[in-house]
Amino acid sequence: MRKLEQLYEGKAKKVFRTDEEKIYFVEYKDDATAFDGKKKGTIDDKGVVNNRVSAKMFNILKEKGIENHFVELIDDRKMLVKAVEIVQVEVIIRNIATGSMVRRYGVEDGILLDPTVIEYSYKSDEYGDPLMNSYHIKAMNLATDEELAVMKEVAFKVNDILKETFAKLDLTLVDFKIEFGRYDGRIILADEISPDTCRLWDKKTNERMDKDRFRHDLGNVKATYQEILKRVESL
Ligand code: TMP
Ligand code: ASP
């Protein structure tokens, strides 16, 4: 498959057309941003880690019946994916309260949430990814009720599978963000599943093993990403 022109460059990935209409080429970058792009930096080989971790997670999810955009790994930084049209809604699942949930509502950091919380936010750097509900999503024509119902159901299933998978690696899945796309008239899981998009706490030491190390300058950023890759590849 030939890589053709670049279609899009986001904060963490570039997307290219290929000579096959329904397949895109995704290249993962080392660039790291936080707080709506206000904090910028790079994490050495983050692109490699996120590409390989995403590939593994997408394969596991596929085996468990969750259709997703992953097709195959090309090399350390590149994968082929199905050419989806991304729904401009980020779906966040929270098992444990931390991050913006604590900042926004003042709940105690680290408490188990019962029930598990689902949030939607508008995928817009310009407006700072604001929280939204199902009425905004429908009124702004971002997704239909039927599409949103699929996204919600899949998000909770993904949570169950990822929680179990990361638990085997001595990691607690605290929260994560996923995105969906339209493909052949269906809604399928897309984007990435990585330490950039999941909060992972070491079960033994409670250490932050994800992008929070970069967001909050906790140190050992590169080594932590490498450790996640090592654990994930042991699966
Ligand atoms: P938050 O607590 O900052 O809202 O983050 C919730 C989860 O979503 C966390 O796992 C990190 C992930 N996330 C992204 O993947 N992209 C983003 O732009 C933000 C703000 C969070
Ligand atoms: N990726 C987001 C940004 O660049 C935020 C984050 O992950 O914290 O702002």
Side-chain angles (χ1 to χ4, degrees):
M1 197 147 325
R2 269 193 329 127
K3 185 167 108 177
L4 299 179
E5 85 274 10
Q6 186 175 304
L7 281 175
Y8 170 83
E9 177 163 4
K11 288 179 295 203
K13 300 187 284 301
K14 293 178 184 174
V15 181
F16 300 83
R17 250 177 13 94
T18 67
D19 49 8
E20 207 165 298
E21 200 192 333
K22 293 178 86 169
I23 302 281
Y24 289 159
F25 209 104
V26 175
E27 187 173 326
Y28 285 70
K29 308 192 291 181
D30 286 352
D31 300 347
T33 61
F35 312 115
D36 299 320
K38 285 185 210 82
K39 182 180 169 84
K40 285 196 177 69
T42 54
I43 302 169
D44 238 10
D45 286 340
K46 174 170 84 79
V48 175
V49 173
N50 289 2
N51 182 43
R52 301 194 75 94
V53 169
S54 291
K56 189 84 184 180
M57 294 301 150
F58 282 133
N59 271 335
I60 290 169
L61 289 164
K62 187 175 165 194
E63 278 166 23
K64 306 258 182 190
I66 306 288
E67 190 183 6
N68 63 70
H69 76 158
F70 179 68
V71 176
E72 66 180 50
L73 267 182
I74 297 295
D75 64 25
D76 259 3
R77 288 180 182 274
K78 301 188 202 75
M79 59 168 63
L80 294 179
V81 301
K82 291 175 181 159
V84 302
E85 175 211 345
I86 291 284
V87 176
Q88 299 300 307
V89 174
E90 298 186 347
V91 180
I92 291 145
I93 294 278
R94 297 181 187 274
N95 296 303
I96 292 174
T98 196
S100 69
M101 177 143 182
V102 169
R103 282 201 300 280
R104 192 173 291 120
Y105 307 109
V107 294
E108 192 184 330
D109 205 316
I111 60 162
L112 196 66
L113 295 166
D114 182 17
T116 298
V117 170
I118 188 164
E119 286 174 3
Y120 307 113
S121 66
Y122 183 31
K123 187 173 156 62
S124 161
D125 284 338
E126 189 182 354
Y127 293 98
D129 294 353
L131 265 188
M132 60 191 342
N133 66 35
S134 58
Y135 288 81
H136 296 104
I137 293 169
K138 198 174 172 192
M140 289 165 66
N141 290 315
L142 299 177
T144 64
D145 278 344
E146 293 73 23
E147 288 176 331
L148 191 58
V150 172
M151 288 161 61
K152 182 174 171 183
E153 189 187 333
V154 172
F156 282 113
K157 283 189 185 156
V158 168
N159 186 41
D160 289 339
I161 297 164
L162 293 184
K163 255 198 312 195
E164 193 188 312
T165 304
F166 284 120
K168 286 185 205 154
L169 306 175
D170 264 341
L171 294 164
T172 301
L173 178 63
V174 173
D175 57 27
F176 63 93
K177 182 267 300 179
I178 47 178
E179 296 181 23
F180 292 86
R182 298 185 180 88
Y183 185 79
D184 272 353
R186 302 189 300 284
I187 287 284
I188 66 172
L189 182 65
D191 194 49
E192 69 179 87
I193 297 175
S194 72
D196 272 17
T197 61
C198 300
R199 279 200 181 92
L200 302 164
W201 293 354
D202 187 273
K203 277 195 192 290
K204 292 196 184 108
T205 64
N206 232 14
E207 276 217 85
R208 276 49 181 164
M209 302 289 289
D210 55 63
K211 195 175 160 191
D212 271 353
R213 302 207 74 82
F214 168 79
R215 293 190 186 98
H216 304 297
D217 298 316
L218 301 177
N220 291 331
V221 185
K222 178 182 180 182
T224 301
Y225 273 73
Q226 292 297 326
E227 172 65 19
I228 292 294
L229 178 61
K230 192 175 128 201
R231 291 196 201 182
V232 165
E233 298 216 315
S234 75
L235 279 167

